[in-house]
Amino acid sequence: MAFTLLSSPLQGFTDFRFRNAFHHYFGGIDTFYSPYIRLNGKFKIKTSYQNDLLVENNSTLEVIPQIITNNAEEFLFVAKYVQSLGYKELNWNLGCPYPMVAKSGMGSGLICNPEKINTILERAHKETNILVSMKMRMGYENAEEILGAFPILDQYPLKNIAIHARIGKQLYKGPVDLDAFERCISSTNHKLYYNGDITSVASFKTMQERFPSIDHFMIGRGLIADPFLPQMIKNDTTEYPKNRWDIFEAFHNTIYHQYDAYLSGPTPIKMKMLGFWEFFSQSCNNPQKTYKAIKKATNPFKYKQAVKLILNNERKLNP
């Protein structure tokens, strides 16, 4: 069966600079989701959100904007904004697991409140013609919460529901709950996308075999940890390209220079790249040692030296 691969949004990582570089050097992702727009009660779109969704910054990609909110007015405001840019779909994040978000009744903390979900969806469908899709967890406290939300969700013509097969309280710890995801398939009329722990070609095949009715799969952290993964899944191979580390180096240098130009000073770029290397290092021969070397690089010159040494070492170990 043909399948579609989607990039799950990660706040602080998968903005337009990353998306464009990823698409250029690696490919394999059919649709990208932008990191969520959050208004915090202020009806103003921050410049960083504006830049992330500008059509000229996403000219070679299919991108779907995302919002996180528990307020109908905010939803309508963002829906009209993204429509003004030419987007036809808005994805609603009911998946963010972080306690500060969830405890304020947003992200995965909203799944247990079907009445509020209903209020927002009702107004979204009455007062705009935007196509709405959902990104959810199973719940925040337990995996039954989503089952209580499905009767409400089934009343609306949602494009799809992408489900990360964990509860919010887990964050990213512990295994995905595949039995709970299977229950979801038989509990809603909506098209479901699978998300969670696709970190290798083998793990993708496991999910594909376990859920033969699912043909859309989201990759989140696994996509940053191993940027070659989506294309390898598409090509049904576990073989990396012969010039693997040259491609990765060109990709790394592209995002480094773009973030360096955007961020001011050596500390922000150091912190930004350190975040990326938490993931990148997982594809290296010795993840702990690799990450430690990046962490110890106290200025841009030392950082570039550390990266050069790491990549030269990987070329020798994994030619």
Side-chain angles (χ1 to χ4, degrees):
M1 182 171 69
F3 58 86
T4 299
L5 295 183
L6 311 105
S7 165
S8 180
L10 270 79
Q11 293 302 114
F13 293 98
T14 57
D15 69 358
F16 73 94
R17 297 172 187 87
F18 175 87
R19 295 193 301 264
N20 285 318
F22 185 96
H23 186 66
H24 176 75
Y25 289 105
F26 304 109
I29 290 293
D30 299 294
T31 303
F32 291 83
Y33 288 80
S34 71
Y36 59 65
I37 294 172
R38 183 175 179 177
L39 294 185
N40 290 327
K42 296 174 185 170
F43 289 85
K44 188 180 177 193
I45 307 289
K46 289 198 302 193
T47 306
S48 59
Y49 297 148
Q50 291 181 37
N51 290 337
D52 196 44
L53 292 177
L54 280 174
V55 175
E56 55 264 39
N57 286 340
N58 297 283
S59 58
T60 62
L61 312 172
E62 182 180 358
V63 175
I64 296 169
Q66 188 181 77
I67 181 173
I68 193 165
T69 187
N70 58 7
N71 178 285
E73 296 296 338
E74 288 187 354
F75 193 101
L76 295 170
F77 181 81
V78 172
K80 286 165 186 171
Y81 173 72
V82 300
Q83 281 186 304
S84 75
L85 298 175
Y87 294 98
K88 293 181 170 54
E89 178 182 343
L90 181 60
N91 185 262
W92 187 14
N93 183 314
L94 269 70
C96 182
Y98 292 107
M100 280 181 69
V101 172
K103 283 173 183 171
S104 63
M106 290 191 288
S108 59
L110 185 54
I111 300 169
C112 64
N113 193 339
E115 294 87 0
K116 188 164 269 194
I117 295 170
N118 185 49
T119 300
I120 294 169
L121 287 177
E122 186 177 28
R123 290 196 61 191
H125 286 90
K126 274 186 181 171
E127 298 176 44
T128 76
N129 62 350
I130 200 157
L131 191 58
V132 179
S133 58
M134 313 285 288
K135 172 84 166 70
M136 302 179 74
R137 291 233 172 176
M138 301 291 182
Y140 184 74
E141 294 286 345
N142 63 72
E144 305 299 309
E145 289 175 26
I146 196 169
L147 301 178
F150 280 145
I152 296 296
L153 300 179
D154 280 352
Q155 294 174 35
Y156 296 96
L158 304 173
K159 183 189 167 195
N160 65 273
I161 304 171
I163 301 176
H164 183 129
R166 284 186 174 88
I167 58 169
K169 274 181 87 169
Q170 279 183 268
L171 296 176
Y172 294 96
K173 295 167 189 164
V176 283
D177 189 342
L178 301 184
D179 291 339
F181 183 81
E182 195 150 9
R183 282 198 297 277
C184 292
I185 295 174
S186 57
S187 301
T188 178
N189 300 321
H190 285 302
K191 183 175 184 64
L192 299 187
Y193 294 2
Y194 176 82
N195 178 216
D197 282 13
I198 296 176
T199 55
S200 66
V201 175
S203 61
F204 170 77
K205 285 184 173 176
T206 299
M207 302 308 173
Q208 202 179 29
E209 285 162 17
R210 174 79 188 261
F211 308 116
S213 66
I214 302 295
D215 61 2
H216 284 63
F217 297 86
M218 273 189 157
I219 308 177
R221 296 167 302 147
L223 176 144
I224 305 176
D226 185 356
F228 293 94
L229 177 60
Q231 195 63 61
M232 287 165 72
I233 289 171
K234 285 279 180 75
N235 294 338
D236 191 18
T237 181
T238 54
E239 295 289 319
Y240 286 92
K242 286 191 165 55
N243 58 341
R244 170 186 179 179
W245 296 106
D246 296 340
I247 296 169
F248 177 81
E249 184 172 32
F251 163 74
H252 167 274
N253 292 347
T254 298
I255 62 169
Y256 179 87
H257 291 309
Q258 289 185 5
Y259 286 120
D260 195 30
Y262 166 64
L263 300 165
S264 51
T267 303
I269 185 65
K270 165 76 191 287
M271 298 313 294
K272 171 64 84 173
M273 297 313 295
L274 192 62
F276 276 114
W277 276 100
E278 273 192 69
F279 294 102
F280 293 159
S281 63
Q282 292 170 34
S283 286
C284 293
N285 193 57
N286 188 331
Q288 207 174 352
K289 189 178 175 186
T290 298
Y291 185 65
K292 196 174 175 184
I294 294 292
K295 208 171 178 181
K296 281 171 65 181
T298 51
N299 60 49
F301 176 75
K302 287 179 179 175
Y303 172 82
K304 288 171 190 172
Q305 271 193 322
V307 170
K308 196 172 181 180
L309 280 169
I310 288 163
L311 295 182
N312 284 342
N313 193 44
E314 294 302 326
R315 286 184 183 100
K316 286 176 198 161
L317 294 167
N318 302 299

